[in-house]
Amino acid sequence: MAMLSQTAVFAGGLLTNTNQSFIFGRNFARDGVIAIDGVYSNPAGVAFLGKGLHLSLGGQSASQTRTIRSGMTLLKPAGLPMTDEQWMQSPYAHPLSLNGGDANGIKRFKGEASAPFVPSVQAALNYDKWGFQFAFGLVGGGGKCTFNRGLGSFERQVALLPSILQLANNTYQQQYGIDLGLGSNTPGYSVESYIHGQQYVFGFQFGSTYKVNENLAVYGGFRFNYIYNKYEGSISNITVNINGQNENLYSYLGTKADALANQALSYQEQANNYTRLAQEATLAGNEQAAQQYAAAAEQLTKGAQLAQGGAQAIGGVRSQVADRNLDCTQRGWGITPIIGIDYRWGKLNLGARLEFTTHLNIENDTKVDDTGLFADGVNTPNDIPGILTVGGCYEILPTWRVMASYHYYFDKDARMDKDKQKLLSSNTWEWALGSEYDISDALTVSAGMQRTKYGLGDGSYLSDMSFTTSSYSYGFGAKVRLAPKVTVEASYFWTNYEKFNKEYDQEYSAGGMSATAHNTDQFTRTNKVFGVGVNLDF
């Protein structure tokens, strides 16, 4: 039932991949560099590589973690006969503490993500004036992530069950003198929760360059994007401590509901018998007996109604704690127009490119959806934001070059589900610095860093199913020339993500009861990527 509160999980522009080549990891500032990986980062500059075929083949291996520290403080329900201070000291005020959370109700959920091999292919065929290019890579997503113990948003409603059952039990005792047997002096719960996601945006890029003169070149092309997402998840075996025993709640409530329903039938049968006896006594002229029978019938009818009401209330909660599963695949495609320009001036080279916003929808192919969120055949807007990049490379010495780049993403112009992009406070921007040094004709070493800043606002855009945070990335690597027209390159980079804190209040309801909770989420990630590949000139 916790999945009922979820939103669409695809992250849109915040999953854009700029590491389209293994070369990226050793020097992030590639937007003003003339090299074969410029087919993605500086396509116009590739025109200056010279005549012939230039080919780059390689891949990257990424390892990531996603960590969310989710907190939940349940506010005191109205009418409860205790002070706010007494409530905050009760075990129900911090529900996640009942299943592994700390004393403040904060529980850690960690996902392991991996992309064992992310391939990339970049090729350019240059003539005197004209050049033609092709590239393949993963322009978004590119891996799998698994939360083996679920997510805080999955678990919060489950965590409320001990308090809801205790309150329901107290209410029936106080108002009707009926003990539903749902309370516990040792409250607790457990749940088996699992979510596994795959996200891939495959990009096939085609374009051509024109060398205006020996200093200026331009580029025009497009990228065909194919999106493939798959989500599998489950919530099962919800247990709650009742009378000191951990009970599978679905089975336990079913037994309780059946017992109350049978009790209601028994009471009603007895009430019907007393009603018949009252009628017979009236016909016999025994008014005193008739009144006694009628009073007993009325009392039993009330008992039947109360038992039936209890059975219905328990049945309502039971329907919400049934096992739930999700199996959904999403697909979509779109075209990204791209233009670029490069200008050489002595030892300085400047490059720029503009990728226009890609308008596309993704369609659900759903096999199982107990969440009600991924109806089969539904199309959801999921644009890929446009990107503007500018970069420069300056040759300080014949053996030493420095680079700088700036990226600007048009996230707020990209349509997302329920206009989610409007929750962003600003567009994303990045700057990168890099340097290369030729130790010899056969060996080049390099290093770089990149700052990425997201306009996340108050965090409403983020959910624990899909998030990122601002970061700093650092990388280094080397290029080795094995032959005049063959080089091998290797790179390694890692990303230090900031922590982002989100706070919000949320209303919950179950079994006819409602409550307000103050929720907190702290998001952060880790990222480590190794790349290797070969460049060939023909």
Side-chain angles (χ1 to χ4, degrees):
M1 68 180 174
M3 284 197 278
L4 295 175
S5 65
Q6 294 305 300
T7 58
V9 298
F10 194 82
L14 300 190
L15 280 183
T16 302
N17 294 341
T18 55
N19 55 319
Q20 289 302 294
S21 168
F22 52 88
I23 304 173
F24 174 88
R26 68 179 182 86
N27 177 5
F28 305 114
R30 305 298 300 172
D31 304 283
V33 176
I34 296 175
I36 183 57
D37 63 307
V39 172
Y40 171 79
S41 57
N42 182 23
V46 176
F48 295 115
L49 283 181
K51 292 194 297 184
L53 176 64
H54 308 275
L55 182 63
S56 178
L57 304 170
Q60 299 171 78
S61 178
S63 175
Q64 301 178 340
T65 64
R66 293 167 172 83
T67 303
I68 311 105
R69 290 177 55 82
S70 295
M72 184 182 195
T73 299
L74 184 64
L75 306 183
K76 183 174 75 70
L80 199 65
M82 64 172 61
T83 65
D84 290 342
E85 183 178 355
Q86 289 173 328
W87 170 257
M88 293 304 296
Q89 294 176 351
S90 75
Y92 302 106
H94 301 298
L96 294 176
S97 299
L98 301 177
N99 184 35
D102 63 22
N104 296 316
I106 298 175
K107 185 174 181 179
R108 189 183 76 154
F109 298 87
K110 184 176 181 180
E112 301 285 347
S114 66
F117 182 70
V118 180
S120 64
V121 177
Q122 299 189 347
L125 179 61
N126 286 347
Y127 295 94
D128 287 330
K129 291 287 188 178
W130 288 93
F132 302 93
Q133 300 177 8
F134 167 79
F136 167 77
L138 290 168
V139 296
K144 307 174 182 180
C145 185
T146 302
F147 287 84
N148 287 312
R149 296 185 178 181
L151 295 165
S153 55
F154 283 39
E155 191 164 322
R156 283 188 174 108
Q157 289 200 36
V158 178
L160 288 174
L161 289 171
S163 59
I164 288 174
L165 295 178
Q166 185 68 54
L167 289 170
N169 203 71
N170 293 344
T171 298
Y172 266 78
Q173 281 185 319
Q174 293 170 4
Q175 295 184 4
Y176 311 117
I178 297 177
D179 185 355
L180 297 176
L182 301 178
S184 177
N185 293 324
T186 56
Y189 73 93
S190 67
V191 58
E192 294 177 7
S193 183
Y194 168 84
I195 182 71
H196 175 78
Q198 304 177 48
Q199 297 179 332
Y200 300 94
V201 185
F202 301 97
F204 300 85
Q205 184 173 321
F206 304 87
S208 62
T209 58
Y210 180 75
K211 191 187 300 182
V212 179
N213 53 48
E214 292 304 312
N215 300 101
L216 178 65
V218 294
Y219 169 88
F222 68 92
R223 183 182 300 118
F224 173 81
N225 306 278
Y226 177 76
I227 293 179
Y228 176 86
N229 302 332
K230 185 172 180 59
Y231 303 105
E232 298 172 293
S234 64
I235 297 178
S236 61
N237 193 27
I238 296 174
T239 69
V240 173
N241 189 286
I242 297 175
N243 292 324
Q245 297 292 325
N246 293 328
E247 303 282 356
N248 179 287
L249 199 54
Y250 186 79
S251 300
Y252 185 84
L253 293 179
T255 301
K256 280 288 182 182
D258 290 343
L260 285 171
N262 291 333
Q263 189 178 49
L265 288 174
S266 176
Y267 282 167
Q268 193 58 56
E269 289 177 357
Q270 294 179 56
N272 293 338
N273 288 333
Y274 277 112
T275 298
R276 179 179 54 78
L277 291 174
Q279 293 171 346
E280 292 175 353
T282 299
L283 292 175
N286 189 346
E287 290 299 327
Q288 182 178 2
Q291 291 176 359
Q292 291 175 343
Y293 288 143
E298 182 180 359
Q299 189 67 25
L300 286 167
T301 297
K302 289 181 179 179
Q305 292 173 345
L306 288 174
Q308 186 61 37
Q312 291 175 349
I314 290 176
V317 175
R318 182 175 186 255
S319 66
Q320 293 181 316
V321 299
D323 292 352
R324 295 180 184 270
N325 295 279
L326 170 67
D327 185 350
C328 176
T329 300
Q330 298 175 329
R331 296 179 177 88
W333 65 272
I335 301 294
T336 306
I338 307 170
I339 57 175
I341 187 170
D342 186 89
Y343 183 74
R344 297 196 302 177
W345 182 30
K347 297 181 179 181
L348 176 65
N349 189 79
L350 300 174
R353 85 178 190 278
L354 175 63
E355 297 187 7
F356 292 85
T357 298
T358 308
H359 298 292
L360 58 84
N361 292 332
I362 51 176
E363 182 175 345
N364 293 341
D365 178 8
T366 305
K367 295 181 175 59
V368 180
D369 178 27
D370 296 329
T371 72
L373 296 172
F374 297 87
D376 187 48
V378 170
N379 278 274
T380 303
N382 202 117
D383 293 352
I384 299 175
I387 307 173
L388 173 64
T389 71
V390 293
C393 176
Y394 184 74
E395 185 181 285
I396 298 177
L397 297 173
T399 57
W400 183 21
R401 296 163 296 280
V402 294
M403 304 87 171
S405 294
Y406 180 80
H407 306 154
Y408 188 82
Y409 299 81
F410 299 94
D411 296 300
K412 292 180 67 66
D413 295 331
R415 301 171 310 140
M416 300 181 193
D417 186 36
K418 299 180 178 64
D419 282 332
K420 183 181 174 184
Q421 73 279 2
K422 294 181 179 180
L423 299 176
L424 294 168
S425 60
S426 64
N427 289 319
T428 302
W429 56 262
E430 294 176 327
W431 58 259
L433 300 174
S435 179
E436 291 185 346
Y437 184 76
D438 299 329
I439 295 178
S440 68
D441 292 339
L443 176 62
T444 298
V445 294
S446 61
M449 68 170 295
Q450 178 172 282
R451 167 62 167 164
T452 303
K453 181 65 176 179
Y454 297 105
L456 301 177
D458 64 358
S460 300
Y461 179 90
L462 302 178
S463 74
D464 52 9
M465 290 185 72
S466 177
F467 71 89
T468 191
T469 66
S470 299
S471 63
Y472 288 91
S473 296
Y474 306 90
F476 62 91
K479 176 174 66 174
V480 179
R481 184 169 297 279
L482 300 181
K485 295 185 177 183
V486 180
T487 60
V488 174
E489 302 194 35
S491 64
Y492 178 80
F493 79 89
W494 70 97
T495 304
N496 293 337
Y497 288 90
E498 297 175 357
K499 295 178 180 179
F500 187 93
N501 295 304
K502 175 182 176 180
E503 296 188 24
Y504 58 100
D505 291 337
Q506 187 168 353
E507 295 289 332
Y508 296 91
S509 62
M513 307 187 73
S514 61
T516 301
H518 182 70
N519 295 337
T520 63
D521 288 305
Q522 183 186 83
F523 303 103
T524 192
R525 299 164 59 135
T526 67
N527 182 47
K528 300 175 182 178
V529 182
F530 173 75
V532 65
V534 60
N535 303 318
L536 305 170
D537 297 314
F538 298 94

